[in-house]
Amino acid sequence: MPSDKKVQGSLNFHKKMAFKICVVAQMDQLSIENIRKDFPILSRKVRNNVPLIYLDNAATTQKPKQVVDAIADYYLRYNANVHRGIHALSEEASEKYEEAHLKVAKFLNAKFQEVIFTKNTTEGLNIVAHGMYDRLERDDEIVVTRMEHHSNIVPFQVLARKTGAKLKFIELDKFETLNLESAEKVITDRTKLVSIPHMSNVLGTINPVKDIVDIAKAHGSLVLLDGAQSVPHLPVDFADLGVDFLAFSGHKMLAPMGIGGLIGKEEVLEDFEPLLYGGEMIKYVDYERATWNDLPWKFEAGTPNVGGGIGLGVAIDYLSNIGMERVHKMERELTKYTMERFSELDFVQIYGPPSEYRGGVVSFNVFNDDGELIHPHDVSTILDEHGIAIRAGHHCAQPLMRAMSIPATNRVSFYIYNNYEEVDKTVEVLKEVKALFS
Amino acid sequence: MNNIYRENILEHYKNPLNHEEMADATVDFEDTNPVCGDEIHFWVKIDDDGKIKRATFKGRGCAISQASASMLTETVEGMTVEEVEELGADEIRELLGVPLSPIRLKCALLGLKVLQGALLKYKGEQVNKR
Ligand SMILES: Cc1ncc(COP(=O)(O)O)c(C=O)c1O
């Protein structure tokens, strides 16, 4: 039996912890308000002159002043093509563009030569699909999951069709998480590539990447990680995860559209075929043949998106300043709160796993008094009239929606500037939606 | 507020007109909008003189697509096949009488698209009969 003293000590400890958690939550609230000041768009009014509540961050995030200023600065002060001109502007632009690669490398714990700038996740996934073309024989296997975004399934459908390889799927448990037993079965010695999303844009599930890597590596397969929803929201350590490729989009992490990244292990990229050929990616060109430039430039043919790259670098500075652990924690708290508030509404059904297993994404449907589904388009139209921007539809995951036997869902998704009042307001409007359609 | 969901639209959505299968239909046709998963099935009875005697529908989807289909069944009664073929976005906007964004317009047009699909199928069958 514990002595009274011990009990008292433990009580004090819990009190202290509770106090600490409370203080942290308050601090986060404070810093959320500070963060919001960097995003002028968040003080905008929309529709019937109501304040904007932006909850569509899995589609794209808003941009802080710092990022927009850095891009403007490039275009207004040192715009030039990179790696070409021997003049001041070109040197400045090249230096900043390379520095942006370095920032990404540091942010994701990769080497500089492993960081390829692309226009988005989709391009990164296609570079890998294209590079796999020579590496597949008939009856080899490509493995993806049942929770894929269209951009992580369509390139591989085409690749399978062209090479005679088979496309196989890791199954889900209760439409919530990846079933690792299924992964064990589906991945075999014939598997040449396993491609999974780090975090589902529909269910919000954060997948156990290392477990999948272990299985894939035991069979000698390459692993591609679709980081579109994870790189913006969680600490991601490329070297530690052990994947061969990691693709992400800048526009989902405060940076402008048209810039993203594909990180690839140096030894894999060395003899991987690029998708685009042309200027910038070559070293020596004859009329008959050419040799490829060093990494990462071999994969960046043509004039790149220099302003976008610089913007991405500044977005990473912004996120690193907050700290990715903290970003993840803030979003997790808000997601947990949202799921609790939504669970109070008996006419709302939430999809996906408990909050411990997910990032800042909550997909749900709303039902009327007769238990009939209120179509997500109607739900989002009414939310929109209150200034609340959410996503409604199949979220580029038609196969998953069909498997779940639902036509579509509503989805709220968070970022560093979302606060608890925005969730409360959403809950109020959802009650209104139900009333209107009952 | 609630600009789009005027009383008449909600009324058509909650209590749609001619919302049933038609056993003696001349022709029927079904289609979906893959973007939002909306489904509509139309049944049409056509007179010997090429006039729509009755149109019915069943479906699943958002209030706009279902209300628009419901209103259409009423509107097209007595119209000729050719007249229905000439209906377009302007007429549907007018019928609904609410502001529609481009995406919501697609919802609103699904019923008309399916109905016109049915008529096209009917004409094809007529040609084959001859
Ligand atoms: C999981 C996932 N993969 C890939 C993508 C594609 O990203 P992008 O459209 O920026 O190429 C998205 C974006 O919605 C996503 O959520």
Side-chain angles (χ1 to χ4, degrees):
Chain A
M1 251 202 125
S3 70
D4 279 0
K5 220 174 174 181
K6 255 192 191 155
V7 172
Q8 195 54 49
S10 148
L11 268 178
N12 278 339
F13 174 75
H14 282 292
K15 263 193 204 151
K16 260 192 218 151
M17 279 306 285
F19 178 70
K20 238 185 182 165
I21 289 168
C22 199
V23 169
V24 168
Q26 272 172 9
M27 261 171 50
D28 279 347
Q29 278 284 10
L30 272 181
S31 58
I32 292 172
E33 292 320 305
N34 272 333
I35 287 169
R36 290 178 76 86
K37 293 190 188 124
D38 290 330
F39 295 80
I41 207 167
L42 297 178
S43 37
R44 227 203 99 161
K45 300 266 175 29
V46 290
R47 298 296 181 199
N48 313 304
N49 212 26
V50 287
L52 170 70
I53 296 181
Y54 187 77
L55 301 179
D56 194 16
N57 293 287
T60 199
T61 65
Q62 299 304 339
K63 323 301 175 198
K65 278 189 301 227
Q66 289 85 334
V67 167
V68 178
D69 287 347
I71 298 164
D73 190 45
Y74 162 69
Y75 282 112
L76 298 176
R77 286 193 42 249
Y78 60 100
N79 171 62
N81 211 326
V82 287
H83 302 149
R84 294 179 192 185
I86 311 289
H87 56 75
L89 295 191
S90 178
E91 275 176 23
E92 274 179 49
S94 304
E95 199 177 301
K96 290 279 190 194
Y97 184 64
E98 290 191 16
E99 185 186 69
H101 283 70
L102 254 181
K103 286 179 182 176
V104 171
K106 206 167 144 234
F107 185 66
L108 296 172
N109 192 23
K111 299 181 214 160
F112 173 81
Q113 14 352 333
E114 296 179 322
V115 176
I116 299 158
F117 278 8
T118 59
K119 68 169 188 267
N120 50 31
T121 305
T122 305
E123 185 182 336
L125 299 173
N126 274 275
I127 289 174
V128 176
H130 179 79
M132 289 306 296
Y133 186 74
D134 315 336
R135 294 166 170 244
L136 287 171
E137 286 169 17
R138 174 161 292 283
D139 297 330
D140 278 346
E141 299 161 353
I142 308 158
V143 173
V144 297
T145 74
R146 293 278 184 211
M147 57 166 82
E148 240 45 84
H149 186 280
H150 295 161
S151 74
N152 199 29
I153 179 166
V154 179
F156 301 114
Q157 290 172 344
V158 175
L159 179 64
R161 201 149 61 228
K162 280 185 180 165
T163 56
K166 284 198 204 99
L167 186 59
K168 293 167 78 183
F169 296 88
I170 301 173
E171 301 295 337
L172 308 183
D173 273 333
K174 298 187 290 179
F175 297 118
E176 289 183 358
T177 49
L178 286 185
N179 180 324
L180 287 176
E181 276 167 33
S182 161
E184 296 263 13
K185 260 189 236 135
V186 171
I187 300 168
T188 72
D189 286 345
R190 295 234 60 159
T191 306
K192 294 293 185 293
L193 180 72
V194 177
S195 185
I196 63 165
H198 198 168
M199 173 177 145
S200 160
N201 64 314
V202 179
L203 305 172
T205 316
I206 298 173
N207 288 317
V209 178
K210 282 188 173 181
D211 293 333
I212 300 287
V213 169
D214 285 346
I215 301 169
K217 290 299 161 193
H219 294 283
S221 170
L222 292 172
V223 181
L224 163 60
L225 189 61
D226 171 355
Q229 297 297 345
S230 62
V231 170
H233 302 279
L234 348 160
V236 175
D237 185 323
F238 176 74
D240 181 57
L241 285 174
V243 298
D244 298 279
F245 301 99
L246 165 67
F248 67 96
S249 299
H251 70 91
K252 293 184 197 284
M253 52 188 293
L254 310 180
M257 292 189 177
I259 191 76
L262 174 68
I263 317 300
K265 269 192 195 151
E266 188 176 8
E267 59 271 26
V268 180
L269 290 181
E270 282 294 354
D271 57 2
F272 213 70
E273 196 63 22
L275 174 64
L276 297 177
Y277 305 91
E280 206 87 24
M281 57 80 63
I282 40 69
K283 192 169 262 173
Y284 176 86
V285 183
D286 218 337
Y287 279 114
E288 280 74 34
R289 66 188 71 82
T291 59
W292 303 156
N293 202 343
D294 296 333
L295 291 174
W297 315 121
K298 168 182 156 188
F299 290 91
E300 290 192 21
T303 298
N305 181 357
V306 178
I310 290 167
L312 175 60
V314 175
I316 283 176
D317 292 341
Y318 193 99
L319 290 170
S320 303
N321 243 333
I322 302 172
M324 290 310 288
E325 281 292 352
R326 182 109 181 280
V327 167
H328 182 38
K329 202 174 144 279
M330 282 162 75
E331 289 178 16
R332 179 158 277 184
E333 292 296 319
L334 189 58
T335 304
K336 188 160 169 259
Y337 178 73
T338 304
M339 291 176 71
E340 281 163 11
R341 290 297 323 267
F342 282 14
S343 315
E344 291 164 13
L345 309 173
D346 58 5
F347 53 89
V348 167
Q349 182 179 2
I350 299 174
Y351 303 103
S355 62
E356 309 83 275
Y357 294 96
R358 65 163 92 205
V361 165
V362 182
S363 285
F364 63 98
N365 268 318
V366 185
F367 294 83
N368 70 12
D369 281 344
D370 297 329
E372 290 161 350
L373 179 124
I374 304 173
H375 197 282
H377 277 182
D378 293 324
V379 177
S380 65
T381 299
I382 292 176
L383 286 165
D384 177 53
E385 282 171 354
H386 289 83
I388 305 172
I390 67 159
R391 176 81 187 264
H394 53 55
H395 318 294
C396 297
Q398 287 184 23
L400 177 61
M401 294 282 126
R402 237 169 269 133
M404 292 170 77
S405 306
I406 41 178
T409 76
N410 306 283
R411 178 187 74 188
V412 295
S413 54
F414 303 117
Y415 214 22
I416 47 179
Y417 36 69
N418 289 121
N419 62 31
Y420 292 72
E421 290 90 81
E422 292 177 318
V423 173
D424 292 340
K425 174 77 187 167
T426 304
V427 167
E428 289 316 304
V429 179
L430 289 180
K431 290 180 188 164
E432 212 174 286
V433 170
K434 201 253 319 189
L436 191 65
F437 283 91
S438 288
Chain B
M1 286 241 186
N2 299 336
N3 280 331
I4 294 190
Y5 299 102
R6 299 239 171 96
E7 210 43 55
N8 67 327
I9 295 207
L10 283 176
E11 188 48 39
H12 273 278
Y13 171 63
K14 289 176 188 168
N15 302 303
L17 302 171
N18 302 307
H19 194 244
E20 60 192 5
E21 287 188 39
M22 199 196 305
D24 59 343
T26 320
V27 66
D28 75 295
F29 189 64
E30 183 178 21
D31 207 355
T32 60
N33 177 350
V35 174
C36 48
D38 286 4
E39 301 168 359
I40 288 187
H41 194 149
F42 255 98
W43 289 264
V44 194
K45 179 134 189 75
I46 302 169
D47 273 352
D48 292 340
D49 53 357
K51 279 203 176 133
I52 313 281
K53 195 154 178 235
R54 187 163 181 244
T56 65
F57 85 104
K58 291 203 85 157
R60 219 166 59 127
C62 70
I64 300 297
S65 73
Q66 304 303 306
S68 155
S70 165
M71 289 175 178
L72 257 183
T73 59
E74 208 179 19
T75 305
V76 300
E77 220 178 276
M79 286 173 81
T80 64
V81 170
E82 286 70 26
E83 281 167 344
V84 176
E85 281 178 328
E86 275 168 20
L87 297 178
D90 290 344
E91 286 76 17
I92 296 296
R93 276 184 203 278
E94 206 171 302
L95 198 59
L96 289 162
V98 292
L100 290 171
S101 67
I103 290 192
R104 297 318 303 271
L105 182 65
K106 282 204 187 115
C107 308
L109 287 175
L110 178 62
L112 180 63
K113 209 180 104 196
V114 176
L115 176 59
Q116 289 174 339
L119 298 183
L120 205 64
K121 185 173 154 195
Y122 163 74
K123 281 170 94 175
E125 283 167 2
Q126 294 297 101
V127 171
N128 285 342
K129 265 187 209 159
R130 273 189 230 138

